[in-house]
Protein backbone atom coordinates (compact mmCIF):
# COMPACT_ATOMS: atom_id res chain seq x y z
CA UNK A 1 0.00 0.00 0.00
CA UNK A 2 1.39 3.37 -0.96
CA UNK A 3 -0.20 6.60 0.08
CA UNK A 4 0.75 10.01 -1.22
CA UNK A 5 -0.35 13.34 0.17
CA UNK A 6 -0.46 16.12 -2.45
CA UNK A 7 -0.44 19.34 -0.52
CA UNK A 8 -0.25 23.11 -0.95
CA UNK A 9 -2.83 23.01 -3.75
CA UNK A 10 -5.81 25.18 -4.66
CA UNK A 11 -8.32 22.44 -5.35
CA UNK A 12 -11.47 22.89 -7.48
CA UNK A 13 -13.97 20.11 -8.12
CA UNK A 14 -17.59 19.82 -9.25
CA UNK A 15 -20.04 18.31 -6.80
CA UNK A 16 -21.34 14.85 -7.73
CA UNK A 17 -24.94 14.51 -6.55
CA UNK A 18 -25.51 11.18 -8.28
CA UNK A 19 -26.79 12.72 -11.50
CA UNK A 20 -25.48 15.08 -14.18
CA UNK A 21 -25.25 18.65 -12.88
CA UNK A 22 -27.98 20.77 -14.48
CA UNK A 23 -29.20 24.35 -14.16
CA UNK A 24 -27.64 26.16 -11.19
CA UNK A 25 -25.85 22.96 -10.13
CA UNK A 26 -23.70 23.17 -13.26
CA UNK A 27 -21.83 26.06 -11.56
CA UNK A 28 -21.47 24.37 -8.15
CA UNK A 29 -17.78 23.92 -7.50
CA UNK A 30 -16.18 23.09 -4.17
CA UNK A 31 -12.77 24.65 -3.63
CA UNK A 32 -10.08 24.75 -0.96
CA UNK A 33 -7.45 27.49 -0.93
CA UNK A 34 -4.98 25.44 1.05
CA UNK A 35 -6.12 22.03 -0.09
CA UNK A 36 -4.70 18.55 0.10
CA UNK A 37 -5.43 15.32 -1.76
CA UNK A 38 -4.64 11.98 -0.19
CA UNK A 39 -4.16 9.16 -2.71
CA UNK A 40 -4.14 5.51 -1.70
CA UNK A 41 -3.81 2.62 -4.16
CA UNK A 42 -4.66 4.87 -7.08
CA UNK A 43 -7.86 6.10 -5.47
CA UNK A 44 -8.75 9.29 -3.70
CA UNK A 45 -8.74 8.53 0.04
CA UNK A 46 -9.48 12.06 1.20
CA UNK A 47 -9.73 15.56 -0.25
CA UNK A 48 -10.28 18.90 1.40
CA UNK A 49 -8.65 21.52 3.53
CA UNK A 50 -5.06 20.63 4.46
CA UNK A 51 -5.79 20.45 8.19
CA UNK A 52 -8.85 18.22 7.70
CA UNK A 53 -7.06 15.81 5.38
CA UNK A 54 -4.05 15.64 7.71
CA UNK A 55 -6.32 14.87 10.64
CA UNK A 56 -7.25 11.68 8.78
CA UNK A 57 -3.61 10.62 8.41
CA UNK A 58 -2.60 10.85 12.08
CA UNK A 59 -2.67 7.12 12.72
CA UNK A 60 -1.30 6.25 9.21
CA UNK A 61 1.15 8.92 8.01
CA UNK A 62 1.42 9.03 4.19
CA UNK A 63 4.40 7.26 2.57
CA UNK A 64 5.26 10.46 0.72
CA UNK A 65 4.27 14.10 0.46
CA UNK A 66 4.30 16.22 -2.69
CA UNK A 67 4.22 20.04 -2.49
CA UNK A 68 2.27 21.43 -5.45
CA UNK A 69 3.53 24.96 -4.82
CA UNK A 70 0.09 26.59 -4.53
CA UNK A 71 -0.92 25.55 -8.02
CA UNK A 72 -4.45 24.71 -9.03
CA UNK A 73 -5.75 21.11 -9.03
CA UNK A 74 -8.85 19.95 -10.96
CA UNK A 75 -10.19 16.53 -12.00
CA UNK A 76 -8.70 15.00 -15.16
CA UNK A 77 -10.54 15.95 -18.34
CA UNK A 78 -13.05 13.46 -19.71
CA UNK A 79 -13.41 13.83 -23.49
CA UNK A 80 -16.72 12.09 -24.29
CA UNK A 81 -16.87 12.46 -28.09
CA UNK A 82 -13.97 11.84 -30.45
CA UNK A 83 -13.15 10.22 -33.77
CA UNK A 84 -9.46 9.79 -32.87
CA UNK A 85 -9.11 6.53 -34.83
CA UNK A 86 -8.27 7.73 -38.34
CA UNK A 87 -5.53 6.90 -40.81
CA UNK A 88 -4.86 10.26 -42.46
CA UNK A 89 -5.39 13.95 -41.95
CA UNK A 90 -7.51 15.97 -44.45
CA UNK A 91 -5.50 19.15 -44.69
CA UNK A 92 -6.30 19.92 -48.34
CA UNK A 93 -10.00 19.66 -47.53
CA UNK A 94 -9.55 22.18 -44.72
CA UNK A 95 -8.15 24.64 -47.24
CA UNK A 96 -11.21 24.09 -49.47
CA UNK A 97 -13.47 24.74 -46.50
CA UNK A 98 -11.82 27.97 -45.46
CA UNK A 99 -12.00 29.06 -49.09
CA UNK A 100 -15.78 28.63 -48.87
CA UNK A 101 -16.87 25.08 -49.80
CA UNK A 102 -19.38 23.85 -47.17
CA UNK A 103 -18.49 20.77 -45.13
CA UNK A 104 -21.64 18.87 -46.16
CA UNK A 105 -21.01 19.66 -49.84
CA UNK A 106 -17.56 18.07 -49.64
CA UNK A 107 -19.22 14.97 -48.17
CA UNK A 108 -21.93 14.97 -50.87
CA UNK A 109 -19.14 14.99 -53.50
CA UNK A 110 -17.63 11.86 -51.98
CA UNK A 111 -14.98 13.61 -49.84
CA UNK A 112 -15.04 14.41 -46.12
CA UNK A 113 -15.95 11.38 -44.03
CA UNK A 114 -15.87 9.26 -47.20
CA UNK A 115 -12.24 10.19 -47.85
CA UNK A 116 -11.39 9.01 -44.31
CA UNK A 117 -13.28 5.80 -45.15
CA UNK A 118 -11.05 5.22 -48.19
CA UNK A 119 -7.84 5.81 -46.24
CA UNK A 120 -8.88 3.63 -43.31
CA UNK A 121 -10.01 0.77 -45.54
CA UNK A 122 -6.57 0.85 -47.16
CA UNK A 123 -4.62 1.21 -43.91
CA UNK A 124 -2.63 -1.57 -42.34
CA UNK A 125 -3.96 -2.35 -38.84
CA UNK A 126 -0.61 -1.66 -37.13
CA UNK A 127 -0.24 1.67 -38.91
CA UNK A 128 -3.77 2.65 -37.85
CA UNK A 129 -2.90 1.65 -34.29
CA UNK A 130 0.27 3.77 -34.33
CA UNK A 131 -1.57 6.81 -35.71
CA UNK A 132 -4.41 6.48 -33.17
CA UNK A 133 -1.96 6.03 -30.32
CA UNK A 134 -0.15 9.21 -31.33
CA UNK A 135 -3.40 11.18 -31.32
CA UNK A 136 -4.46 9.79 -27.93
CA UNK A 137 -1.03 10.59 -26.42
CA UNK A 138 -1.37 14.17 -27.61
CA UNK A 139 -4.74 14.36 -25.85
CA UNK A 140 -3.25 12.92 -22.65
CA UNK A 141 -0.45 15.48 -22.65
CA UNK A 142 -3.17 18.15 -22.71
CA UNK A 143 -4.94 16.70 -19.66
CA UNK A 144 -7.35 14.10 -21.01
CA UNK A 145 -7.44 11.12 -18.65
CA UNK A 146 -10.61 9.47 -20.03
CA UNK A 147 -11.51 9.48 -23.72
CA UNK A 148 -14.27 8.08 -25.90
CA UNK A 149 -13.28 6.97 -29.42
CA UNK A 150 -15.78 6.14 -32.16
CA UNK A 151 -15.51 3.79 -35.10
CA UNK A 152 -17.31 5.02 -38.20
CA UNK A 153 -14.74 5.26 -40.97
CA UNK A 154 -15.25 1.64 -42.01
CA UNK A 155 -18.91 1.61 -43.00
CA UNK A 156 -18.69 -2.12 -43.52
CA UNK A 157 -18.61 -4.89 -40.96
CA UNK A 158 -14.99 -5.95 -41.41
CA UNK A 159 -13.49 -2.47 -41.17
CA UNK A 160 -15.78 -1.32 -38.35
CA UNK A 161 -14.62 -4.37 -36.34
CA UNK A 162 -11.01 -3.55 -37.27
CA UNK A 163 -11.43 -0.01 -35.93
CA UNK A 164 -12.92 -1.28 -32.68
CA UNK A 165 -10.01 -3.75 -32.33
CA UNK A 166 -7.53 -0.91 -32.81
CA UNK A 167 -9.36 1.21 -30.22
CA UNK A 168 -9.21 -1.73 -27.78
CA UNK A 169 -5.46 -2.08 -28.41
CA UNK A 170 -4.97 1.62 -27.71
CA UNK A 171 -6.95 1.17 -24.49
CA UNK A 172 -4.45 -1.51 -23.44
CA UNK A 173 -1.44 0.60 -24.45
CA UNK A 174 -2.21 3.81 -22.55
CA UNK A 175 -2.97 4.54 -18.90
CA UNK A 176 -6.00 6.68 -19.86
CA UNK A 177 -9.46 5.10 -19.80
CA UNK A 178 -10.58 4.60 -23.40
CA UNK A 179 -14.28 4.06 -24.14
CA UNK A 180 -15.12 2.53 -27.56
CA UNK A 181 -18.29 3.54 -29.45
CA UNK A 182 -19.70 1.86 -32.57
CA UNK A 183 -20.63 4.46 -35.21
CA UNK A 184 -21.32 2.24 -38.23
CA UNK A 185 -24.00 4.73 -39.31
CA UNK A 186 -21.63 7.68 -39.78
CA UNK A 187 -22.23 8.25 -43.51
CA UNK A 188 -23.91 6.47 -46.41
CA UNK A 189 -21.11 4.61 -48.20
CA UNK A 190 -20.91 5.25 -51.92
CA UNK A 191 -21.99 1.68 -52.71
CA UNK A 192 -25.35 2.48 -51.05
CA UNK A 193 -25.81 6.00 -52.34
CA UNK A 194 -29.09 5.26 -54.09
CA UNK A 195 -30.46 3.06 -51.33
CA UNK A 196 -29.68 4.23 -47.84
CA UNK A 197 -32.35 1.96 -46.32
CA UNK A 198 -30.42 -1.05 -47.57
CA UNK A 199 -27.37 0.29 -45.67
CA UNK A 200 -29.51 0.72 -42.54
CA UNK A 201 -30.58 -2.93 -43.00
CA UNK A 202 -26.92 -3.89 -43.10
CA UNK A 203 -26.13 -1.92 -39.93
CA UNK A 204 -29.04 -3.51 -38.07
CA UNK A 205 -28.89 -7.07 -39.30
CA UNK A 206 -25.16 -7.61 -39.84
CA UNK A 207 -22.99 -4.98 -38.16
CA UNK A 208 -24.78 -4.64 -34.81
CA UNK A 209 -24.88 -8.40 -34.10
CA UNK A 210 -21.17 -8.68 -35.06
CA UNK A 211 -20.25 -5.69 -32.87
CA UNK A 212 -22.20 -7.11 -29.93
CA UNK A 213 -20.52 -10.48 -30.41
CA UNK A 214 -17.06 -8.84 -30.58
CA UNK A 215 -17.91 -7.23 -27.23
CA UNK A 216 -15.64 -4.17 -27.41
CA UNK A 217 -18.10 -1.29 -28.00
CA UNK A 218 -20.00 0.21 -25.08
CA UNK A 219 -22.12 2.72 -27.02
CA UNK A 220 -23.80 3.01 -30.39
CA UNK A 221 -23.94 6.39 -32.13
CA UNK A 222 -25.59 7.60 -35.39
CA UNK A 223 -25.00 10.75 -37.48
CA UNK A 224 -28.61 11.95 -37.75
CA UNK A 225 -28.58 14.70 -40.40
CA UNK A 226 -30.00 15.78 -43.77
CA UNK A 227 -28.30 13.71 -46.46
CA UNK A 228 -27.03 11.22 -43.87
CA UNK A 229 -29.45 9.28 -41.59
CA UNK A 230 -33.06 10.40 -41.14
CA UNK A 231 -34.89 10.43 -37.81
CA UNK A 232 -36.69 7.19 -38.74
CA UNK A 233 -33.45 5.46 -39.75
CA UNK A 234 -31.69 6.70 -36.60
CA UNK A 235 -34.56 5.47 -34.42
CA UNK A 236 -34.38 2.06 -36.07
CA UNK A 237 -30.62 1.68 -35.59
CA UNK A 238 -30.52 2.93 -32.00
CA UNK A 239 -33.51 0.82 -30.95
CA UNK A 240 -31.75 -2.26 -32.35
CA UNK A 241 -28.54 -1.20 -30.54
CA UNK A 242 -30.40 -1.05 -27.24
CA UNK A 243 -31.69 -4.55 -27.87
CA UNK A 244 -28.16 -5.92 -28.16
CA UNK A 245 -27.19 -4.18 -24.92
CA UNK A 246 -25.45 -1.01 -26.11
CA UNK A 247 -26.22 2.38 -24.56
CA UNK A 248 -26.98 5.01 -27.19
CA UNK A 249 -25.99 8.55 -28.18
CA UNK A 250 -26.39 10.56 -31.34
CA UNK A 251 -24.95 13.32 -33.50
CA UNK A 252 -28.05 15.50 -33.35
CA UNK A 253 -28.97 18.73 -35.13
CA UNK A 254 -25.38 19.59 -36.10
CA UNK A 255 -26.31 21.35 -39.34
CA UNK A 256 -30.13 21.15 -39.60
CA UNK A 257 -32.85 20.64 -37.01
CA UNK A 258 -34.26 17.22 -37.83
CA UNK A 259 -35.48 16.71 -34.26
CA UNK A 260 -32.47 14.70 -33.12
CA UNK A 261 -32.60 16.21 -29.63
CA UNK A 262 -36.22 15.05 -29.29
CA UNK A 263 -35.30 11.57 -30.46
CA UNK A 264 -32.51 11.46 -27.86
CA UNK A 265 -35.10 12.18 -25.15
CA UNK A 266 -37.52 9.59 -26.58
CA UNK A 267 -34.82 6.89 -26.56
CA UNK A 268 -33.33 7.91 -23.16
CA UNK A 269 -30.00 8.38 -24.88
CA UNK A 270 -27.03 8.95 -22.59
CA UNK A 271 -26.15 12.07 -24.56
CA UNK A 272 -27.11 14.08 -27.63
CA UNK A 273 -24.14 15.73 -29.25
CA UNK A 274 -23.55 18.95 -31.28
CA UNK A 275 -27.09 20.50 -30.97
CA UNK A 276 -26.22 23.64 -32.93
CA UNK A 277 -29.69 23.78 -34.53
CA UNK A 278 -31.96 22.15 -31.90
CA UNK A 279 -35.36 23.66 -31.10
CA UNK A 280 -36.20 24.92 -27.57
CA UNK A 281 -39.04 22.35 -27.38
CA UNK A 282 -36.70 19.43 -27.94
CA UNK A 283 -34.11 20.83 -25.54
CA UNK A 284 -36.86 20.94 -22.90
CA UNK A 285 -37.58 17.27 -23.60
CA UNK A 286 -33.89 16.49 -23.11
CA UNK A 287 -33.94 18.28 -19.74
CA UNK A 288 -36.98 16.24 -18.74
CA UNK A 289 -35.32 12.98 -19.74
CA UNK A 290 -31.93 13.88 -18.17
CA UNK A 291 -30.04 13.52 -21.47
CA UNK A 292 -26.62 15.19 -21.38
CA UNK A 293 -26.04 17.87 -24.06
CA UNK A 294 -22.57 17.14 -25.30
CA UNK A 295 -21.34 20.39 -26.86
CA UNK A 296 -18.45 20.54 -29.30
CA UNK A 297 -17.43 24.19 -29.72
CA UNK A 298 -14.24 23.31 -31.61
CA UNK A 299 -16.50 22.01 -34.40
CA UNK A 300 -18.45 25.29 -34.60
CA UNK A 301 -15.04 27.02 -34.66
CA UNK A 302 -13.70 24.84 -37.45
CA UNK A 303 -16.93 24.94 -39.50
CA UNK A 304 -17.39 28.68 -38.82
CA UNK A 305 -20.92 28.04 -37.56
CA UNK A 306 -22.79 29.80 -34.76
CA UNK A 307 -22.03 28.07 -31.45
CA UNK A 308 -24.57 25.92 -29.63
CA UNK A 309 -26.76 28.00 -27.31
CA UNK A 310 -25.24 26.71 -24.10
CA UNK A 311 -26.74 29.45 -21.91
CA UNK A 312 -30.27 28.59 -23.07
CA UNK A 313 -29.58 24.91 -22.41
CA UNK A 314 -28.38 25.57 -18.87
CA UNK A 315 -31.39 27.85 -18.28
CA UNK A 316 -33.65 25.03 -19.54
CA UNK A 317 -32.09 22.59 -17.07
CA UNK A 318 -30.16 20.51 -19.62
CA UNK A 319 -26.86 19.21 -18.19
CA UNK A 320 -24.05 20.42 -20.47
CA UNK A 321 -20.85 18.49 -21.20
CA UNK A 322 -17.93 19.42 -23.46
CA UNK A 323 -15.87 17.35 -25.90
CA UNK A 324 -13.29 17.92 -28.63
CA UNK A 325 -15.02 15.90 -31.42
CA UNK A 326 -11.39 15.35 -32.48
CA UNK A 327 -11.49 14.18 -36.11
CA UNK A 328 -9.61 14.93 -39.32
CA UNK A 329 -12.54 16.87 -40.85
CA UNK A 330 -14.85 19.08 -38.81
CA UNK A 331 -12.71 19.55 -35.68
CA UNK A 332 -9.03 18.68 -35.66
CA UNK A 333 -7.97 19.23 -32.08
CA UNK A 334 -7.11 16.95 -29.16
CA UNK A 335 -7.14 19.88 -26.77
CA UNK A 336 -9.66 20.01 -23.94
CA UNK A 337 -8.01 23.27 -22.71
CA UNK A 338 -8.88 24.81 -26.10
CA UNK A 339 -12.45 23.50 -25.88
CA UNK A 340 -12.92 24.78 -22.33
CA UNK A 341 -11.49 28.17 -23.37
CA UNK A 342 -13.84 28.38 -26.36
CA UNK A 343 -16.82 27.41 -24.23
CA UNK A 344 -16.12 30.33 -21.91
CA UNK A 345 -15.28 32.92 -24.55
CA UNK A 346 -17.70 31.92 -27.35
CA UNK A 347 -20.58 30.14 -25.56
CA UNK A 348 -20.41 32.24 -22.39
CA UNK A 349 -20.17 29.42 -19.88
CA UNK A 350 -18.63 30.55 -16.61
CA UNK A 351 -15.30 28.85 -15.83
CA UNK A 352 -17.11 26.91 -13.09
CA UNK A 353 -19.80 25.66 -15.50
CA UNK A 354 -17.15 24.76 -18.06
CA UNK A 355 -15.16 22.81 -15.46
CA UNK A 356 -18.25 20.73 -14.60
CA UNK A 357 -18.93 20.24 -18.31
CA UNK A 358 -15.42 18.96 -19.09
CA UNK A 359 -15.21 16.61 -16.10
CA UNK A 360 -18.31 15.49 -14.17
CA UNK A 361 -20.99 15.87 -16.85
CA UNK A 362 -18.62 14.39 -19.43
CA UNK A 363 -18.19 11.38 -17.11
CA UNK A 364 -21.98 11.02 -17.01
CA UNK A 365 -22.04 11.18 -20.81
CA UNK A 366 -19.89 8.01 -20.73
CA UNK A 367 -21.65 6.33 -17.79
CA UNK A 368 -18.38 6.45 -15.83
CA UNK A 369 -19.33 8.89 -13.08
CA UNK A 370 -18.87 6.21 -10.43
CA UNK A 371 -15.11 6.24 -11.12
CA UNK A 372 -14.12 9.55 -12.72
CA UNK A 373 -15.24 13.16 -13.22
CA UNK A 374 -14.81 14.67 -9.75
CA UNK A 375 -12.41 14.63 -6.82
CA UNK A 376 -14.43 12.55 -4.42
CA UNK A 377 -13.25 9.89 -2.00
CA UNK A 378 -13.26 6.46 -3.63
CA UNK A 379 -13.11 7.73 -7.20
CA UNK A 380 -9.93 7.16 -9.21
CA UNK A 381 -7.17 9.67 -8.44
CA UNK A 382 -7.37 11.32 -11.89
CA UNK A 383 -6.29 14.92 -11.52
CA UNK A 384 -4.51 17.76 -13.25
CA UNK A 385 -2.15 20.40 -11.92
CA UNK A 386 -2.62 23.76 -13.65
CA UNK A 387 -0.15 26.60 -13.81
CA UNK A 388 -2.70 29.14 -12.61
CA UNK A 389 -4.79 30.26 -9.67
CA UNK A 390 -8.15 28.95 -10.81
CA UNK A 391 -9.78 27.04 -13.70
CA UNK A 392 -10.32 30.41 -15.46
CA UNK A 393 -6.68 30.08 -16.56
CA UNK A 394 -7.93 27.65 -19.24
CA UNK A 395 -9.69 30.52 -21.02
CA UNK A 396 -7.35 33.31 -19.93
CA UNK A 397 -4.06 31.81 -21.18
CA UNK A 398 -5.37 31.45 -24.71
CA UNK A 399 -3.94 28.92 -27.12
CA UNK A 400 -1.57 27.52 -24.49
CA UNK A 401 -2.14 24.56 -22.23
CA UNK A 402 -1.74 25.46 -18.55
CA UNK A 403 -1.81 21.75 -17.70
CA UNK A 404 1.58 20.94 -16.17
CA UNK A 405 0.82 17.69 -14.33
CA UNK A 406 -1.43 14.83 -15.44
CA UNK A 407 -2.20 12.05 -12.96
CA UNK A 408 -4.23 8.93 -13.74
CA UNK A 409 -5.09 6.48 -10.97
CA UNK A 410 -2.58 8.32 -8.80
CA UNK A 411 0.30 7.93 -11.29
CA UNK A 412 1.85 10.76 -13.21
CA UNK A 413 1.23 10.02 -16.92
CA UNK A 414 2.33 13.25 -18.58
CA UNK A 415 3.28 16.86 -17.91
CA UNK A 416 6.46 18.68 -16.99
CA UNK A 417 5.73 18.97 -13.27
CA UNK A 418 8.68 17.94 -11.14
O1 LIG B 1 -18.92 14.96 -35.34
N1 LIG B 1 -20.64 14.89 -38.00
C1 LIG B 1 -20.18 13.79 -38.17
N2 LIG B 1 -19.04 13.33 -37.72
C2 LIG B 1 -17.97 14.13 -37.28
C3 LIG B 1 -17.06 14.54 -38.39
C4 LIG B 1 -16.28 13.41 -38.90
C5 LIG B 1 -15.41 13.78 -40.04
O2 LIG B 1 -15.57 14.81 -40.73
O3 LIG B 1 -14.49 12.97 -40.29
C6 LIG B 1 -18.48 15.26 -36.44
O4 LIG B 1 -18.44 16.44 -36.82
FE1 LIG C 1 -18.54 13.69 -34.06
Amino acid sequence: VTTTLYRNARIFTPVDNGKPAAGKNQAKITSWENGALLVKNGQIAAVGDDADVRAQTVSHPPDQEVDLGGRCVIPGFVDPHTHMCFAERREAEFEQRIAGTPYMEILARGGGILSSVRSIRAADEDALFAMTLRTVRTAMALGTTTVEIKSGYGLDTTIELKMLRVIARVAEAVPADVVPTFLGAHAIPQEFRENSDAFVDLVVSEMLPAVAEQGIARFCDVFCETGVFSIEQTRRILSAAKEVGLAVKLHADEVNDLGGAGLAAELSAVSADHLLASSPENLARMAEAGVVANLLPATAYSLRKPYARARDMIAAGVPVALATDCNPGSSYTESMPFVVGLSVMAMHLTPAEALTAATLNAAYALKLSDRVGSLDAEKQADFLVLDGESPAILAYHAGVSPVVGIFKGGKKIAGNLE
Side-chain angles (χ1 to χ4, degrees):
V1 177
T2 41
T3 52
T4 307
L5 182 76
Y6 294 91
R7 64 181 171 82
N8 194 13
R10 304 158 84 100
I11 302 179
F12 296 79
T13 179
V15 180
D16 188 353
N17 288 321
K19 53 177 196 253
K24 289 202 166 35
N25 286 334
Q26 177 105 29
K28 275 207 183 120
I29 295 291
T30 307
S31 64
W32 298 278
E33 272 289 302
N34 181 21
L37 185 70
L38 182 67
V39 175
K40 186 174 177 184
N41 290 334
Q43 287 194 331
I44 299 170
V47 59
D49 188 63
D50 187 86
D52 296 337
V53 173
R54 262 170 213 287
Q56 297 185 43
T57 66
V58 181
S59 51
H60 304 280
D63 300 316
Q64 52 168 336
E65 288 196 18
V66 177
D67 183 343
L68 292 177
R71 277 178 290 222
C72 176
V73 167
I74 62 172
F77 291 128
V78 177
D79 186 350
H81 179 141
T82 87
H83 309 254
M84 287 187 186
C85 184
F86 57 84
E88 281 174 17
R89 294 177 175 174
R90 304 194 321 245
E91 217 165 317
E93 177 192 310
F94 175 73
E95 298 213 28
Q96 285 175 21
R97 287 201 292 106
I98 54 176
T101 314
Y103 173 75
M104 291 306 282
E105 194 176 311
I106 293 173
L107 176 62
R109 289 185 197 156
I113 294 172
L114 294 175
S115 88
S116 287
V117 169
R118 283 187 291 277
S119 61
I120 226 162
R121 285 183 179 177
D124 165 79
E125 192 159 330
D126 287 336
L128 182 60
F129 168 73
M131 179 73 183
T132 308
L133 188 61
R134 184 177 127 176
T135 305
V136 169
R137 287 205 172 123
T138 302
M140 284 165 46
L142 293 161
T144 297
T145 49
T146 299
V147 62
E148 185 254 26
I149 307 180
K150 302 175 195 295
S151 68
Y153 294 127
L155 309 185
D156 71 26
T157 308
T158 313
I159 310 293
E160 287 294 313
L161 294 179
K162 164 169 125 175
M163 288 188 73
L164 289 168
R165 268 197 312 275
V166 165
I167 296 166
R169 257 174 89 187
V170 171
E172 286 295 311
V174 298
D177 278 310
V178 175
V179 180
T181 292
F182 168 61
L183 176 58
H186 192 195
I188 317 279
Q190 266 159 329
E191 316 82 274
F192 288 88
R193 215 170 190 154
E194 303 312 320
N195 191 358
S196 62
D197 279 330
F199 183 66
V200 174
D201 287 341
L202 185 79
V203 173
V204 168
S205 57
E206 187 182 298
M207 290 193 207
L208 268 174
V211 165
E213 153 124 10
Q214 187 193 34
I216 293 171
R218 277 186 243 165
F219 292 95
C220 180
D221 191 347
V222 173
F223 186 13
C224 180
E225 185 57 63
T226 312
V228 195
F229 297 94
S230 68
I231 284 283
E232 292 70 30
Q233 292 173 328
T234 305
R235 182 186 284 113
R236 199 176 147 218
I237 295 166
L238 294 180
S239 305
K242 283 168 81 167
E243 269 168 38
V244 298
L246 296 172
V248 303
K249 31 179 78 233
L250 57 160
H251 283 67
D253 312 327
E254 175 176 356
V255 183
N256 297 295
D257 180 15
L258 295 192
L263 181 63
E266 174 192 317
L267 294 172
S268 305
V270 178
S271 70
D273 302 35
H274 285 293
L275 307 173
L276 302 189
S278 307
S279 70
E281 295 72 31
N282 283 334
L283 292 175
R285 292 176 65 199
M286 279 178 58
E288 184 87 12
V291 180
V292 176
N294 212 352
L295 304 187
L296 317 170
T299 311
Y301 165 87
S302 176
L303 298 181
R304 291 188 169 141
K305 295 270 178 174
Y307 290 81
R309 295 182 307 277
R311 287 255 57 88
D312 292 350
M313 294 180 195
I314 291 178
V318 185
V320 168
L322 288 166
T324 60
D325 195 19
C326 181
N327 74 76
S330 65
S331 174
Y332 187 39
T333 179
E334 298 88 344
S335 176
M336 285 298 284
F338 174 59
V339 165
V340 169
L342 268 184
S343 78
V344 171
M345 303 314 294
M347 298 198 302
H348 298 262
L349 293 191
T350 64
E353 289 167 337
L355 179 64
T356 301
T359 57
L360 184 65
N361 283 356
Y364 275 100
L366 294 179
K367 291 168 86 77
L368 287 180
S369 59
D370 55 327
R371 293 196 279 134
V372 304
S374 61
L375 302 175
D376 275 305
E378 269 149 53
K379 286 200 189 190
Q380 286 179 14
D382 295 3
F383 63 96
L384 309 179
V385 181
L386 306 186
D387 177 26
E389 294 170 13
S390 82
I393 190 71
L394 293 158
Y396 173 50
H397 202 173
V400 173
S401 169
V403 182
V404 293
I406 299 111
F407 292 80
K408 177 73 184 176
K411 288 204 179 68
K412 190 186 148 190
I413 61 167
N416 53 13
L417 187 77
E418 268 321 295

